[in-house]
Amino acid sequence: YGVATAAQNYFGKELSELDLAECASLISITNNPSMYSPYSTARFEDPDTGEILTAQDKNKERQELVLWLMKDQGKISQEEYDQAVAEELVFARSESETQETDIYSWYEEQVITDVKNDLMDKYDYSEEMASRMLARGGLRIYTCVDLDVQNAAEKVYENRDNLNYTSSNGQLMQSAITIIDNSTGDIAAIVGRVGEKTGNRWKNFATEAYRQPGSSIKPLSVYSPGLEMGVITPITIVDDYPYQLMNGKPWPINSGSAKYRGLTTVRSGLARSVNTIALRVLADRVTVEASFNFVESHYHIDLVQAQQSGDTVQSDMSLAPLSMGGLTKGVTTRQMATAFAVFPSGGIYRNSRTYTKVTHMVNGVEEVLIENPSVQEQAVKPTTAYYMNSMLSGVVSAEGTAGSARFSSAIDIAGKTGTTSSSYDRWFVGYTPYYTAAVWTGYDQNEKMRTSGNPAAQLWKKVMSQVHQGLDNKSFFSANGLKSVQYCLDSGM
């Protein structure tokens, strides 16, 4: 942080107030802070006497070496040397006092996690070695954070009144959000839970909590692969009717009090999150195997092909998980935001980054230790992305399930809600031409959510309305070669 900050931290003085002894003590620290910082908790055994030395003892040894060299080189006189060596160093706090801990933001903690993992992958470091480098390695990390977006998200999430629900067992409802900048594919902001962040390394629900996505998986596993394969269009007609009887009861059922409505367009089925429409498109047109492979290869979300659990084998390669989101492992808000950002980006998938590079100093020269480039690929055709934008805009319309997420009539908004079995989780993954944000809400330990409306959509609106303040009106991109047609509501022709 610089020598002026060090003067305050170690001696509680302005830099100009330091004397020779204190200056020599400060410069001694820089050679090896873990050994020579007066506040280090490290301990050392004297090889000659066996005496245990503290970091303050080691700082004093090195300070006297610095002073001796200054005298030897004629920088100070013998009298100045004797006086400085004899002076007692009085530090701003004792070794037993704990230093006020810097509280990292959710974004900073994710940067630390990502860099640590990449150090371990690239250089085969142990976790301890990678953590030590981050703490004391003099690294310079170039991040992707958008401070305006991060601050807006933190402001909403620090206010518990914005999600003031308590479960029957006394748990406070939690939430997390990841926001992607659509122009770069980088992560603009992350908040890992609700409430003021007063500590470090808390559980980050945005990137560490894998939760079942419910119907928010449908655009990724059913509708975009169906469009990409050419087996559906937005006006394809599908029968909203039970797919089969299960234990003598119609299956699947539609959420809430929705009844079976018969012939329905894909567009309307998606807007109203009709389970029977998604399941029939998956089963009769896309196929389970194609859907499973599409989610993994096009959106880079790891699904479970087969996993032993007691006497049963769990798998996501099945109708229910892929059409209604009851996944074995689940997903994170980071994964969902990264995947949905494909649609406003013209079908391009980009790896979501928190940082661009890590450097360190070698002989006074800044050298790159890790390069973290943006990697992009065409996940779906532009026409598929165009249709998804069009259909998912219907979700935030009067007909759709997320009308409460709309904050502007001048900026295009699209997205998808998700509710899991027993209402354990509520999602809204939404986007504008500028940003994509995935919001999860639920309890740390699964309990039924009893809320007014969808709290994930409500939080999304609170954050994104702030993020978009001052931005120009903007629409989603348009595909080439479009023409208007009339179609039949009975046949889809």
Side-chain angles (χ1 to χ4, degrees):
Y1 294 101
V3 69
T5 303
Q8 289 286 355
N9 189 36
Y10 290 105
F11 294 107
K13 298 180 179 180
E14 297 295 328
L15 181 59
S16 59
E17 297 174 336
L18 295 186
D19 62 21
L20 175 61
E22 292 164 336
C23 288
S25 172
L26 281 191
I27 200 61
S28 298
I29 298 171
T30 62
N31 180 263
N32 188 336
S34 62
M35 179 180 292
Y36 297 121
S37 167
Y39 298 156
S40 171
T41 58
R43 295 294 181 265
F44 310 91
E45 183 177 349
D46 188 304
D48 297 324
T49 65
E51 180 186 2
I52 301 301
L53 304 176
T54 68
Q56 286 195 10
D57 295 329
K58 299 296 289 185
N59 177 267
K60 180 61 179 173
E61 284 183 3
R62 189 163 184 83
Q63 179 231 30
E64 292 184 4
L65 172 61
V66 169
L67 292 169
W68 184 87
L69 286 166
M70 292 180 74
K71 177 177 71 70
D72 186 60
Q73 296 175 26
K75 307 296 184 183
I76 59 175
S77 65
Q78 181 69 46
E79 181 182 0
E80 289 173 313
Y81 167 79
D82 292 339
Q83 183 178 348
V85 168
E87 180 181 324
E88 179 185 0
L89 295 172
V90 180
F91 298 104
R93 61 182 175 87
S94 68
E95 291 175 287
S96 60
E97 289 181 284
T98 57
Q99 184 178 6
E100 184 179 345
T101 303
D102 290 330
I103 304 300
Y104 293 120
S105 72
W106 291 108
Y107 199 104
E108 289 169 329
E109 285 198 336
Q110 192 58 46
V111 170
I112 291 170
T113 297
D114 290 349
V115 171
K116 182 174 74 172
N117 290 338
D118 290 346
L119 283 169
M120 293 165 64
D121 288 343
K122 182 171 182 178
Y123 295 102
D124 201 26
Y125 290 154
S126 66
E127 184 172 359
E128 180 183 357
M129 177 64 180
S131 298
R132 189 180 303 126
M133 285 195 68
L134 279 160
R136 298 189 292 272
L139 305 183
R140 179 175 292 179
I141 303 172
Y142 293 79
T143 74
C144 303
V145 66
D146 184 321
L147 287 176
D148 290 335
V149 178
Q150 181 70 25
N151 290 337
E154 287 180 357
K155 183 178 179 180
V156 171
Y157 268 74
E158 285 174 358
N159 185 353
R160 170 48 73 177
D161 290 339
N162 288 324
L163 194 71
N164 197 15
Y165 294 100
T166 304
S167 75
S168 57
N169 286 336
Q171 290 189 84
L172 290 172
M173 188 175 290
Q174 274 303 337
S175 178
I177 186 171
T178 299
I179 305 176
I180 301 288
D181 183 336
N182 295 335
S183 65
T184 62
D186 295 334
I187 296 178
I190 293 177
V191 180
R193 60 197 303 153
V194 179
E196 183 182 1
K197 191 173 187 295
T198 58
N200 291 325
R201 311 315 292 175
W202 289 357
K203 182 177 181 180
N204 186 335
F205 287 102
T207 58
E208 297 172 7
Y210 286 79
R211 298 292 178 135
Q212 294 184 7
S215 292
S216 63
I217 198 69
K218 292 174 181 176
L220 309 179
S221 60
V222 177
Y223 294 107
S224 63
L227 290 166
E228 189 78 1
M229 296 163 63
V231 296
I232 60 169
T233 73
I235 61 173
T236 296
I237 299 296
V238 182
D239 197 358
D240 176 9
Y241 191 77
Y243 185 75
Q244 65 186 49
L245 292 177
M246 186 172 291
N247 298 324
K249 296 181 179 180
W251 183 83
I253 59 172
N254 292 324
S255 60
S257 59
K259 299 178 180 179
Y260 303 112
R261 298 188 180 186
L263 300 182
T264 304
T265 63
V266 164
R267 178 188 296 276
S268 177
L270 175 54
R272 294 185 289 109
S273 198
V274 182
N275 288 333
T276 53
I277 302 299
L279 192 143
R280 285 184 177 278
V281 169
L282 176 65
D284 300 339
R285 298 169 186 263
V286 174
T287 76
V288 166
E289 184 177 2
S291 170
F292 184 96
N293 293 334
F294 199 93
V295 172
E296 287 210 316
S297 61
H298 291 248
Y299 301 118
H300 302 279
I301 294 176
D302 291 330
L303 301 176
V304 175
Q305 187 164 1
Q307 176 179 292
Q308 189 75 31
S309 177
D311 296 330
T312 63
V313 176
Q314 297 175 317
S315 174
D316 293 333
M317 193 176 283
S318 183
L319 284 175
L322 291 171
S323 65
M324 292 178 284
L327 301 180
T328 304
K329 180 181 178 183
V331 291
T332 67
T333 65
R334 180 176 184 172
Q335 289 177 315
M336 292 297 279
T338 303
F340 269 70
V342 166
F343 303 139
S345 302
I348 296 174
Y349 176 93
R350 298 183 180 94
N351 60 315
S352 58
R353 303 178 298 174
T354 57
Y355 75 97
T356 60
K357 64 179 178 179
V358 179
T359 67
H360 62 158
M361 301 301 291
V362 179
N363 297 323
V365 178
E366 185 179 16
E367 292 190 356
V368 175
L369 188 65
I370 300 177
E371 194 78 60
N372 189 27
S374 176
V375 179
Q376 63 181 45
E377 60 190 60
Q378 195 73 41
V380 298
K381 293 178 289 191
T383 49
T384 297
Y386 166 81
Y387 278 130
M388 290 305 301
N389 293 339
S390 175
M391 292 197 297
L392 289 174
S393 294
V395 175
V396 295
S397 69
E399 181 191 21
T401 58
S404 61
R406 176 165 292 282
F407 62 84
S408 170
S409 59
I411 296 177
D412 280 357
I413 302 172
K416 185 68 187 75
T417 54
T419 303
T420 62
S421 299
S422 302
S423 291
Y424 286 160
D425 308 273
R426 292 283 186 90
W427 289 78
F428 183 65
V429 188
Y431 57 90
T432 70
Y434 294 103
Y435 296 100
T436 299
V439 175
W440 164 84
T441 53
Y443 293 107
D444 190 4
Q445 304 299 319
N446 281 337
E447 285 193 67
K448 186 178 181 65
M449 297 173 64
R450 294 176 172 86
T451 63
S452 175
N454 185 333
Q458 294 161 6
L459 276 175
W460 189 93
K461 177 180 179 178
K462 289 179 186 293
V463 173
M464 296 294 266
S465 61
Q466 296 296 314
V467 168
H468 286 77
Q469 280 190 358
L471 295 180
D472 294 336
N473 300 340
K474 195 171 184 180
S475 302
F476 294 127
F477 74 94
S478 182
N480 295 323
L482 293 174
K483 64 178 182 180
S484 296
V485 298
Q486 291 182 319
Y487 62 93
C488 174
L489 284 170
D490 291 326
S491 68
M493 301 299 288

